[in-house]
Amino acid sequence: MSHKIAILGASGYTGAELVRLIATHPGLEIAALAANSKAGQDMAQVFPHLRHLDLPVLVTIDEIDFADIDLCFCALPHKTSQEVISALPRDLKIVDLSADFRLRDPAAYERWYGNPHAAPELQKEAVYGLTEFYRDEIRAARLVAGTGCNAATGQYLLRPLISAGVIDLDEIILDLKCGVSGAGRSLKENLLHAELSEGYHAYALGSTHRHLGEFDQEFTALAGREVKVQFTPHLIPANRGILATGYVHGDAAKVHAALAAAYAGEPFIEVLPLGEAPSTRHVRGSNFCHIGVVADRREGRTILVGALDNLTKGSSGQALQNANLMLDIQETEGLMMAPVFP
Amino acid sequence: MSHKIAILGASGYTGAELVRLIATHPGLEIAALAANSKAGQDMAQVFPHLRHLDLPVLVTIDEIDFADIDLCFCALPHKTSQEVISALPRDLKIVDLSADFRLRDPAAYERWYGNPHAAPELQKEAVYGLTEFYRDEIRAARLVAGTGCNAATGQYLLRPLISAGVIDLDEIILDLKCGVSGAGRSLKENLLHAELSEGYHAYALGSTHRHLGEFDQEFTALAGREVKVQFTPHLIPANRGILATGYVHGDAAKVHAALAAAYAGEPFIEVLPLGEAPSTRHVRGSNFCHIGVVADRREGRTILVGALDNLTKGSSGQALQNANLMLDIQETEGLMMAPVFP
Amino acid sequence: MSHKIAILGASGYTGAELVRLIATHPGLEIAALAANSKAGQDMAQVFPHLRHLDLPVLVTIDEIDFADIDLCFCALPHKTSQEVISALPRDLKIVDLSADFRLRDPAAYERWYGNPHAAPELQKEAVYGLTEFYRDEIRAARLVAGTGCNAATGQYLLRPLISAGVIDLDEIILDLKCGVSGAGRSLKENLLHAELSEGYHAYALGSTHRHLGEFDQEFTALAGREVKVQFTPHLIPANRGILATGYVHGDAAKVHAALAAAYAGEPFIEVLPLGEAPSTRHVRGSNFCHIGVVADRREGRTILVGALDNLTKGSSGQALQNANLMLDIQETEGLMMAPVFP
Amino acid sequence: MSHKIAILGASGYTGAELVRLIATHPGLEIAALAANSKAGQDMAQVFPHLRHLDLPVLVTIDEIDFADIDLCFCALPHKTSQEVISALPRDLKIVDLSADFRLRDPAAYERWYGNPHAAPELQKEAVYGLTEFYRDEIRAARLVAGTGCNAATGQYLLRPLISAGVIDLDEIILDLKCGVSGAGRSLKENLLHAELSEGYHAYALGSTHRHLGEFDQEFTALAGREVKVQFTPHLIPANRGILATGYVHGDAAKVHAALAAAYAGEPFIEVLPLGEAPSTRHVRGSNFCHIGVVADRREGRTILVGALDNLTKGSSGQALQNANLMLDIQETEGLMMAPVFP
């Protein structure tokens, strides 16, 4: 049996990535694609790489009859998402890829995003979409909030260590190297090829990046006390990939053991042998996350490295994994493609 | 029922690409992986992006018991391939990805490759692997010779035009722009990142590239008279992709019609509307080939543009497509994944 | 003695390139930098790579007192340039980098650019800025029109051949591979890093690119009969560089001799030995143009390859070379820096 | 008056970069270029971007008459350098770009490089080449040891802070992002374009990189107590550039003030306003180093970011700056070219 799905925001990169993944998913059928600014166009005009697929023409959100839809992916910009979802049927299953429902606390939301939340009651209802740690809640959820791609990467490195109590909670540094597609398809001078290629830089310095709201919420809840990590992202001239380098105080063997134990049964998280470290190029285009642990020369200091594809495991792949759970489909369906290398 | 396959030359890019494609193919099982220089290693050491797969350890070719193998992919270097295949069982189905069996004429082989052929009787037996034009022969073949990636791209543009008689056979220019992975994983100074990125150049100038042997053989046979195209490849700083720009004398509408007719039922060849042209970025990681036709301002001159991924449709994807036919599996099995963009 | 210069349009790439070149030029002093949309800002905000220079604050064009200026570079968008230059003092020396004064014929201008020219009398006055072929006129000129970067590359390959009568004028194909910076700093979706990197495509197909207006004008005048080349540009994922591959009917040795003779005394044009071809990576950041000639396997067919940096020799370097002539400074002053490789 | 210089190891990237810089240096004349493996070749064959220069043919080191040479640059591989320099005249001025004379302590050298030093007496004589901090010693030196490119970047960030006593010496983390050319022109699989582009990874994890020997030597001497930083380099798909992100415990304003004071008169070190951070793309091809300081959200934590071009300020530019001092030439001669952007 095939479930009918809709994708709102189909003209952005996460929307296109959803279509790519669902294209070979045997249990899902794309019944509607919405992109208000490009309504009326064929998907082949907007994303020629999807030309071979038989897809519905792009429509406005208003044109969709949601009675026919089993699950809706919202790949809309932040803030727009909460407005749109507020107006959708209250029994429609939704996976939201925006930042709008990641933070449970309206005050925290307002602090990080600068505006009051337009749908605080939905904010309460939403389940945080980090599959490996919220699997049961997601299975039962109606509205799942996809995590930030940076937030996912950092949490894959740190959650098991916080739970196992093997690191100093006051000394956590995350230095991230992020691919370009994470910034989306928006027209900004600093995203032009001529501006971006052949160089790299740090941004959102001083731990001001919004994904810190997620770290604070999740790590503090997990630890039962305030945890404030330092987090500096860097923009790298490559399209896909997040590489998170974590600096922690803790014993490398214990750290490695905690990670290996936490992810032992996980289909998408690969913990490398102690002493090895991953590369973004080895997860590109896939739903896998590779994690490495290395002891520093200074005793009691350990370096963590995590790699995933921001558009797949960090966003649309995660969304599909969650949708599979919500629709009672095999969790890995449509997601086992190997990375594309070189 | 699952067919057991072996891959010889599994430590190169086309070998890895075969594993990537077969990883989610429901009808094939990887029973043996050979790479003489890396025998004893895990595939995860050689290609960490395949780490999640449960693959056999790399062995030498001698260690494989071919009695258990239903079909063997040879992704070995040119010249090595003919020696290895000569020694394999004569009833083993083989898809060869090297250049060794592409040319049917021993003299032509020696002229283009500089050495006499070591297995001329196999050369006679081999079927040229351009699926769309040799489908029946491939279905019945024991030994299929995968085409050159440049040769495939050029033929997709020109074969239907030669057959339809809509272009001047004496005025054909192919200007190719080729990604880096086509040169393989060999250690050459000009393939280093620092040498190659941020610049581009022509190579094998003067129509001296070996893939011309294939053009000459195929186009001459098709036309029933000698056809000698001009062909200049250029190395572009991107890993995957071939873009072939063809300059022909002929009417654009007729050219377009001939291509559209030839590929009407083909699952992997997409002919764009007249006046549009493709991009390599929209076929990356996939088995699709996009073709465009545009009329020049000069009457009677037409420009053709073809795009495919050299490692997939140009090599390993083609090989799998052919193997599907040889094993009586659905031709598109394992090959319908959408391109990865961005 | 130092000449005072102004740069109008200092916030674009050709403006920044002018500043880079003039920064170490002993005979020029940057007296004014204009960029209407960024007036009031420091150049270091707009182009941090120029941070170490002591430059005037950006102003609007209106704020400049041109009485103090010896020569003005106009690096403004097409169409804006003709309006601005119309309003400048009629005795001010000007090097214009836009397309506005390249075509001498108002009808040709309107045909290629779609609007009537706003300053036809200036159009008549302007000298075409291809230094090596208009040196004397440029020395005496008040207003010099910088050439298109593609137009310059193609002309360097073809002008000596047309003059020497060694090629068939009816069979000229130019296949260009162009770096990204040629498209400028404008916000277009297809110029985003995520859209552009890792792939390549043809554009302006069918010989519709505006630089054809220059080819038509110059080649026809040179040949004394109509010459209509075919010209297809391709966008390559690298920031700087134009590689022009030319397909001509003519004898390679004669072609090579004609080029070698034409450029024998030129400081910036390097003709490689017959049979060798250049790369864009070996001219990057410099004012040099490398030219190669190779005989095709088909008798009487010759392949030309030319490489230059679109921002330097193709635009701002050419502009400075012309300004040197106009100000009676050594022609090569400020332009002899070696290419940056790797 | 022109000084005659020789470059040993002219076929590597730092050798080519020296030639590029010296090409427009009015006080130096390249009298000899040595590259044992390519002796007899023209530099234009080895580095076509230097084709326009009138350079001596490559010779073996033995062929050079050092009596004519005023200063010799050694751009040889580590270990080879100490052997070659041992055999050179003892009154010849030498700037060595290898790692061989950076560490003053033979035991430290052996620990980091794995072999006993072949010329311990020269090791004692050598002056560490970090110009801004050893200017007087370099002016008087006969043998100057160029610093590691990573080591230079880290020291530019940290030396003024250690001297000023404004950071906790036990909590220093350096996370470096390094361009590809730093690995040289050697044939290694992991330096191929297909392996490297489109991805990034950490290497030399656990603070095992050899440049740590320099950090330990210099910081410990400066602090008067042992200082052991943590240092993790990452390989980024870009040819030039080092971006060093430093995590320190200390007050951002004091940190910024210490850096601003230290570099107030320096021609090549630009300290950005507090709160701003640099990019490698804005120093590319130049001898400039940009430094930024930002306060973290956690009180008392500060983030440092430094950017330089590894081949210029990190290696050959530094070498020329030192040579200028040793030859009593203006320190900035030949080094004031602006960065190349885009």
Side-chain angles (χ1 to χ4, degrees):
Chain A
M1 199 209 76
S2 193
H3 298 274
K4 294 196 166 163
I5 63 106
I7 300 173
L8 314 187
S11 63
Y13 292 146
T14 55
E17 183 77 349
L18 281 167
V19 175
R20 175 175 84 92
L21 298 174
I22 293 169
T24 54
H25 189 299
L28 300 184
E29 178 195 337
I30 298 175
L33 293 172
N36 283 359
S37 66
K38 304 201 172 170
Q41 294 187 37
D42 276 331
M43 199 64 171
Q45 292 171 265
V46 179
F47 285 116
H49 69 294
L50 302 173
R51 169 184 295 279
H52 65 286
L53 296 170
D54 187 23
L55 295 169
V57 168
L58 290 170
V59 295
T60 63
I61 296 172
D62 292 343
E63 294 176 78
I64 299 178
D65 180 358
F66 287 98
D68 289 344
I69 303 297
D70 294 308
L71 185 142
C72 179
F73 293 99
C74 285
L76 296 164
H78 307 324
K79 220 179 154 206
T80 304
S81 200
Q82 58 194 263
E83 290 157 17
V84 167
I85 291 177
S86 295
L88 292 179
R90 287 301 152 112
D91 58 349
L92 179 65
K93 286 181 200 286
I94 296 171
V95 178
D96 182 38
L97 286 79
S98 84
D100 281 4
F101 298 99
R102 294 171 186 165
L103 301 185
R104 280 181 289 272
D105 176 6
Y109 174 84
E110 189 166 347
R111 200 163 56 245
W112 285 104
Y113 290 89
N115 57 283
H117 203 287
E121 76 294 357
L122 290 176
Q123 210 183 359
K124 242 172 281 168
E125 183 191 354
V127 170
Y128 192 65
L130 199 69
T131 324
E132 289 75 5
F133 298 96
Y134 287 90
R135 193 170 267 126
D136 292 339
E137 293 89 331
I138 291 165
R139 207 173 261 126
R142 184 188 76 84
L143 171 59
V144 169
T147 72
C149 52
N150 298 315
T153 319
Q155 288 181 71
Y156 284 133
L157 291 182
L158 293 170
R159 290 187 77 113
L161 311 184
I162 295 172
S163 295
V166 294
I167 56 170
D168 181 343
L169 299 177
D170 292 321
E171 298 294 340
I172 300 173
I173 291 173
L174 285 172
D175 186 290
L176 260 69
K177 293 86 180 166
C178 305
V180 178
S181 62
R185 211 180 195 183
S186 51
L187 295 181
K188 295 183 187 156
E189 190 176 274
N190 69 326
L191 298 180
L192 294 175
H193 187 282
E195 300 285 320
L196 225 159
S197 69
E198 307 176 15
Y200 30 105
H201 65 277
Y203 63 101
L205 279 147
S207 298
T208 58
H209 194 287
R210 288 166 165 184
H211 289 182
L212 272 162
E214 294 173 63
F215 286 136
D216 288 358
Q217 167 181 287
E218 295 297 311
F219 293 157
T220 296
L222 203 59
R225 49 154 282 193
E226 185 175 70
V227 178
K228 290 182 86 170
V229 304
Q230 286 185 257
F231 162 45
T232 309
H234 299 73
L235 196 54
I236 304 295
N239 285 340
R240 287 171 177 252
I242 296 177
L243 191 82
T245 310
Y247 296 92
V248 295
H249 292 206
D251 176 73
K254 286 184 190 161
V255 162
H256 186 263
L259 288 162
Y263 297 121
E266 287 299 339
F268 295 117
I269 317 285
E270 298 271 324
V271 179
L272 279 59
L274 180 60
E276 293 184 19
S279 164
T280 59
R281 63 178 66 78
H282 296 136
V283 294
R284 214 156 48 103
S286 85
N287 205 48
F288 295 97
C289 173
H290 289 184
I291 295 177
V293 177
V294 183
D296 192 71
R297 63 168 179 167
R298 288 187 57 184
E299 217 184 301
R301 304 290 172 99
T302 293
I303 297 145
L304 312 165
V305 188
L308 55 73
D309 182 321
N310 55 299
L311 283 182
T312 319
K313 187 60 175 161
S315 185
S316 301
Q318 180 199 77
L320 178 55
Q321 195 176 346
N322 291 336
N324 283 339
L325 289 172
M326 293 162 79
L327 293 169
D328 202 20
I329 298 173
Q330 170 80 17
E331 183 179 333
T332 57
E333 194 70 80
L335 291 166
M336 292 303 292
M337 67 282 170
V340 177
F341 173 86
Chain B
M1 199 207 77
S2 193
H3 298 273
K4 294 196 164 164
I5 65 106
I7 300 172
L8 314 187
S11 62
Y13 292 145
T14 55
E17 183 77 348
L18 281 167
V19 174
R20 174 174 85 92
L21 297 174
I22 294 171
T24 53
H25 189 299
L28 299 183
E29 177 195 336
I30 297 175
L33 293 173
N36 284 358
S37 67
K38 304 203 172 169
Q41 294 188 36
D42 276 331
M43 200 63 170
Q45 291 171 266
V46 178
F47 285 116
H49 69 295
L50 302 173
R51 169 184 295 280
H52 64 286
L53 295 170
D54 187 22
L55 294 170
V57 168
L58 290 169
V59 296
T60 62
I61 295 173
D62 292 345
E63 294 176 77
I64 299 178
D65 181 357
F66 286 97
D68 289 345
I69 302 297
D70 294 306
L71 185 143
C72 178
F73 292 99
C74 285
L76 296 163
H78 306 327
K79 222 180 150 202
T80 303
S81 199
Q82 57 193 263
E83 290 157 15
V84 166
I85 291 177
S86 293
L88 293 180
R90 287 298 154 113
D91 58 349
L92 180 64
K93 285 181 202 287
I94 296 171
V95 178
D96 183 38
L97 286 80
S98 84
D100 280 5
F101 298 100
R102 294 171 187 167
L103 301 186
R104 280 182 289 273
D105 176 6
Y109 175 83
E110 188 165 349
R111 201 165 55 244
W112 284 105
Y113 290 90
N115 56 282
H117 202 286
E121 77 293 357
L122 290 176
Q123 211 182 357
K124 242 171 284 170
E125 182 191 355
V127 170
Y128 191 65
L130 198 69
T131 323
E132 288 76 5
F133 298 95
Y134 288 90
R135 193 170 267 126
D136 292 339
E137 294 90 330
I138 291 166
R139 206 173 260 126
R142 183 188 77 83
L143 171 58
V144 169
T147 73
C149 51
N150 298 316
T153 318
Q155 289 181 71
Y156 284 133
L157 291 183
L158 293 170
R159 289 187 77 113
L161 310 184
I162 295 171
S163 294
V166 295
I167 57 170
D168 180 343
L169 299 177
D170 291 321
E171 298 295 341
I172 301 173
I173 291 173
L174 285 173
D175 186 291
L176 261 69
K177 293 85 181 167
C178 307
V180 179
S181 62
R185 211 181 196 183
S186 52
L187 295 181
K188 294 181 188 157
E189 191 175 274
N190 69 325
L191 298 180
L192 294 175
H193 187 282
E195 300 285 320
L196 226 159
S197 69
E198 307 176 14
Y200 31 104
H201 65 278
Y203 64 100
L205 279 149
S207 298
T208 59
H209 194 287
R210 287 166 165 185
H211 289 183
L212 271 164
E214 295 173 62
F215 286 135
D216 288 357
Q217 166 181 289
E218 296 296 311
F219 293 156
T220 295
L222 202 58
R225 50 153 282 192
E226 185 176 69
V227 178
K228 290 182 85 170
V229 304
Q230 286 186 256
F231 162 44
T232 309
H234 298 74
L235 196 54
I236 303 295
N239 285 340
R240 287 170 178 252
I242 295 178
L243 192 83
T245 311
Y247 297 92
V248 294
H249 292 207
D251 177 72
K254 287 183 190 162
V255 162
H256 187 262
L259 288 162
Y263 299 121
E266 289 297 340
F268 296 117
I269 317 284
E270 298 270 323
V271 179
L272 280 58
L274 181 59
E276 294 185 17
S279 164
T280 61
R281 63 179 66 79
H282 296 137
V283 294
R284 211 154 51 99
S286 85
N287 206 49
F288 295 97
C289 172
H290 290 185
I291 295 176
V293 177
V294 184
D296 193 70
R297 63 169 179 166
R298 288 187 58 184
E299 216 185 300
R301 304 290 171 97
T302 293
I303 297 145
L304 312 165
V305 189
L308 54 73
D309 183 322
N310 57 297
L311 284 181
T312 320
K313 188 60 176 158
S315 185
S316 302
Q318 181 200 75
L320 178 56
Q321 195 176 346
N322 290 336
N324 283 339
L325 288 172
M326 294 162 79
L327 294 168
D328 204 20
I329 298 172
Q330 169 80 19
E331 184 180 330
T332 57
E333 194 69 82
L335 291 166
M336 292 304 292
M337 66 282 171
V340 176
F341 172 84
Chain C
M1 198 208 80
S2 193
H3 298 272
K4 294 197 167 166
I5 65 106
I7 300 173
L8 313 187
S11 63
Y13 292 146
T14 54
E17 183 76 349
L18 280 167
V19 175
R20 174 175 84 90
L21 298 174
I22 294 170
T24 53
H25 190 299
L28 299 184
E29 178 195 338
I30 298 175
L33 294 172
N36 283 358
S37 66
K38 304 202 172 169
Q41 293 187 36
D42 276 331
M43 200 63 170
Q45 291 171 266
V46 179
F47 285 117
H49 69 294
L50 302 173
R51 168 185 296 279
H52 65 285
L53 296 170
D54 188 23
L55 295 169
V57 169
L58 291 170
V59 295
T60 63
I61 295 173
D62 292 344
E63 295 176 78
I64 299 178
D65 179 357
F66 287 97
D68 288 345
I69 303 296
D70 296 306
L71 184 141
C72 178
F73 293 99
C74 285
L76 296 164
H78 306 324
K79 222 179 150 206
T80 304
S81 200
Q82 57 193 261
E83 290 157 16
V84 167
I85 291 177
S86 295
L88 293 179
R90 287 300 153 113
D91 59 348
L92 179 64
K93 287 180 201 284
I94 296 172
V95 178
D96 183 38
L97 287 78
S98 84
D100 281 4
F101 298 99
R102 293 171 188 166
L103 301 185
R104 280 180 290 272
D105 175 7
Y109 174 84
E110 187 165 350
R111 200 164 56 246
W112 284 105
Y113 290 90
N115 58 283
H117 203 287
E121 77 293 357
L122 290 177
Q123 209 183 359
K124 241 170 284 168
E125 182 191 356
V127 170
Y128 191 65
L130 200 69
T131 323
E132 288 77 4
F133 298 94
Y134 287 91
R135 193 170 268 126
D136 292 339
E137 294 90 330
I138 291 165
R139 206 173 261 126
R142 184 189 75 84
L143 170 59
V144 169
T147 73
C149 51
N150 298 314
T153 319
Q155 289 181 71
Y156 283 133
L157 291 183
L158 293 169
R159 289 186 78 112
L161 310 184
I162 294 172
S163 295
V166 295
I167 57 170
D168 181 342
L169 299 177
D170 290 321
E171 298 294 342
I172 300 173
I173 290 174
L174 286 172
D175 185 291
L176 261 69
K177 294 85 181 166
C178 307
V180 179
S181 62
R185 210 180 196 182
S186 52
L187 295 181
K188 295 183 187 156
E189 191 176 272
N190 69 328
L191 298 180
L192 294 175
H193 186 282
E195 301 285 320
L196 226 159
S197 69
E198 306 175 17
Y200 31 104
H201 66 278
Y203 65 99
L205 279 148
S207 298
T208 59
H209 194 288
R210 287 168 165 183
H211 290 181
L212 272 163
E214 295 173 61
F215 286 136
D216 289 357
Q217 166 181 288
E218 296 297 311
F219 293 157
T220 295
L222 204 57
R225 50 153 283 193
E226 185 176 71
V227 178
K228 290 182 85 170
V229 305
Q230 286 186 255
F231 162 44
T232 309
H234 298 74
L235 196 54
I236 304 296
N239 285 341
R240 287 170 177 250
I242 295 178
L243 191 82
T245 311
Y247 297 91
V248 294
H249 291 207
D251 176 73
K254 286 183 190 161
V255 162
H256 186 262
L259 288 162
Y263 298 121
E266 287 298 338
F268 295 116
I269 317 284
E270 297 271 323
V271 179
L272 280 57
L274 180 60
E276 294 185 18
S279 164
T280 60
R281 63 179 65 78
H282 297 136
V283 295
R284 212 154 50 101
S286 85
N287 205 48
F288 294 98
C289 172
H290 289 184
I291 294 177
V293 177
V294 184
D296 192 71
R297 62 169 180 168
R298 288 188 58 183
E299 217 184 299
R301 302 290 171 98
T302 293
I303 297 145
L304 312 165
V305 189
L308 55 72
D309 182 321
N310 56 297
L311 284 181
T312 320
K313 187 59 175 160
S315 186
S316 302
Q318 180 199 75
L320 178 56
Q321 195 177 347
N322 291 335
N324 282 339
L325 289 172
M326 294 162 78
L327 294 169
D328 203 21
I329 298 172
Q330 169 80 16
E331 183 180 332
T332 57
E333 194 70 79
L335 291 166
M336 291 305 291
M337 65 283 170
V340 177
F341 172 84
Chain D
M1 198 208 79
S2 193
H3 298 272
K4 294 196 167 167
I5 64 105
I7 300 174
L8 313 186
S11 64
Y13 291 146
T14 53
E17 183 76 349
L18 280 167
V19 175
R20 174 175 84 92
L21 298 174
I22 294 170
T24 53
H25 189 300
L28 300 184
E29 177 194 339
I30 298 176
L33 293 173
N36 283 359
S37 66
K38 304 201 172 169
Q41 293 187 36
D42 276 332
M43 200 62 171
Q45 292 171 265
V46 179
F47 285 116
H49 69 294
L50 302 173
R51 170 185 295 279
H52 64 286
L53 296 170
D54 187 23
L55 294 169
V57 169
L58 289 170
V59 296
T60 63
I61 296 173
D62 292 345
E63 294 176 79
I64 299 178
D65 179 358
F66 287 98
D68 288 346
I69 303 297
D70 294 307
L71 185 142
C72 179
F73 291 100
C74 285
L76 296 163
H78 306 325
K79 218 176 154 206
T80 303
S81 199
Q82 58 194 260
E83 290 156 17
V84 167
I85 291 177
S86 294
L88 292 179
R90 287 302 154 110
D91 58 349
L92 179 64
K93 286 181 201 285
I94 296 171
V95 178
D96 183 38
L97 285 79
S98 84
D100 281 4
F101 298 99
R102 295 171 187 165
L103 301 186
R104 278 181 290 273
D105 175 6
Y109 175 83
E110 188 165 350
R111 200 163 57 244
W112 284 103
Y113 289 90
N115 57 281
H117 203 286
E121 79 292 358
L122 291 176
Q123 211 183 358
K124 239 170 285 168
E125 183 191 354
V127 170
Y128 191 66
L130 199 69
T131 323
E132 288 77 4
F133 298 95
Y134 286 91
R135 193 169 267 127
D136 292 339
E137 294 90 329
I138 291 166
R139 207 173 260 127
R142 184 189 75 83
L143 170 59
V144 169
T147 73
C149 52
N150 298 315
T153 319
Q155 289 180 71
Y156 284 133
L157 291 183
L158 293 169
R159 289 187 77 114
L161 311 185
I162 294 172
S163 295
V166 294
I167 57 169
D168 180 343
L169 299 177
D170 292 320
E171 299 294 341
I172 300 173
I173 290 174
L174 286 172
D175 186 290
L176 261 69
K177 294 86 180 166
C178 307
V180 178
S181 62
R185 211 181 194 182
S186 52
L187 295 182
K188 294 182 188 157
E189 191 175 273
N190 69 326
L191 298 180
L192 294 175
H193 187 282
E195 302 285 322
L196 225 159
S197 69
E198 305 175 17
Y200 30 104
H201 64 277
Y203 64 99
L205 279 148
S207 298
T208 59
H209 194 287
R210 287 167 165 183
H211 290 181
L212 271 163
E214 294 173 62
F215 286 135
D216 288 358
Q217 166 181 289
E218 296 297 311
F219 293 157
T220 295
L222 204 59
R225 51 153 280 194
E226 185 175 70
V227 178
K228 290 182 86 172
V229 304
Q230 286 185 258
F231 162 43
T232 308
H234 298 74
L235 196 56
I236 303 296
N239 285 341
R240 288 170 177 251
I242 295 177
L243 191 82
T245 313
Y247 296 91
V248 294
H249 292 207
D251 177 72
K254 286 183 190 159
V255 161
H256 186 262
L259 288 162
Y263 298 121
E266 288 298 339
F268 295 116
I269 317 283
E270 297 272 323
V271 179
L272 279 59
L274 180 59
E276 292 184 20
S279 164
T280 59
R281 63 179 64 79
H282 297 138
V283 294
R284 213 155 49 101
S286 85
N287 205 49
F288 295 97
C289 172
H290 290 185
I291 294 176
V293 177
V294 184
D296 193 70
R297 64 169 179 166
R298 288 187 56 182
E299 216 185 300
R301 303 291 171 98
T302 292
I303 297 146
L304 312 166
V305 188
L308 54 74
D309 182 321
N310 56 297
L311 284 181
T312 319
K313 187 59 176 160
S315 185
S316 301
Q318 180 199 75
L320 178 55
Q321 196 177 344
N322 291 335
N324 282 338
L325 289 172
M326 293 162 79
L327 294 168
D328 203 19
I329 299 172
Q330 169 82 15
E331 183 179 333
T332 57
E333 193 70 78
L335 291 166
M336 292 305 290
M337 66 282 170
V340 177
F341 172 86

